[in-house]
Amino acid sequence: MVRAALAGLGVSIAAAPLGCFVVWRRMAYLGEATAHAAVLGVALALSFSLPLLPAIISAALAMGLSVSLLRGRGYAMDTLLGVIAHTALAAGLVTVALLSDVRLDLNAFLFGDILAVTKPDLATIWIGGATILALMVWRWSALLVSTLNPDLAQASGIDPKREELWLTLAMALAVAVAIKVVGILLIAALLVIPAAGARPLARTPESMAFTAAIIGSTAALGGLGGAYWADTPAGPSIVCAAALIFVATAILGPIFRKG
């Protein structure tokens, strides 16, 4: 439980600033698409005996690059994300099914297995999380300007597409390190829900990111406690705890702002 709690905290803190940009850019589906691409990364890693983490990051980055290249060709963003995300998920599942000599528990990847986190896994999560936070701090101003006003960013010498690629890289890394905690199908929820819950309480972008980290950490610990008490799956329990906090902030947010 201690390792599980530390893993949940590491993922929640790292996902908080990313989730804020996903909410601001109205690209919640991008998190889901990145997570779905991770399935293909897992399949490729097993097929060619590659390390799991680099394969997942590469697949997620390939998804992001594909979206960037195809966006200007008359397709809406949600259409592109839908096509690429579901194609990557289906291709990954088919590839895994064809690997007759490999035994793989897909449930652990799809829904997470935070209680099985080992010390090396914990080190990977925290190193990956620290890398994500360092990247966010480094690119924060440029990402913020390109998110709020792309024209102003262009006039200031900031390339919005380049910043979007940095964001995609950070999300790919977040997906790779979060698989053990909540699984591929629930990563998007951990990205979006804490940030959405923080929005009614925050007055600045920085305070929103900080509040999202608090909400995500509280959800991680609360979900683990609820899973232990009610004997429910830990990953979905964490997401349910985050959803409850979101409902509370949505109700109390207007009161907080008036105060």
Side-chain angles (χ1 to χ4, degrees), residues 45-100:
L46 295 175
S47 300
F48 298 102
S49 301
L50 300 173
L52 194 60
L53 195 65
I56 292 173
I57 294 174
S58 299
L61 281 177
M63 184 280 303
L65 290 173
S66 300
V67 171
S68 297
L69 291 173
L70 295 174
R71 192 192 312 178
R73 302 191 178 185
Y75 296 102
M77 173 64 80
D78 58 345
T79 302
L80 287 174
L81 289 174
V83 170
I84 295 174
H86 296 302
T87 300
L89 178 61
L93 294 175
V94 169
T95 303
V96 170
L98 292 175
L99 299 175
S100 56

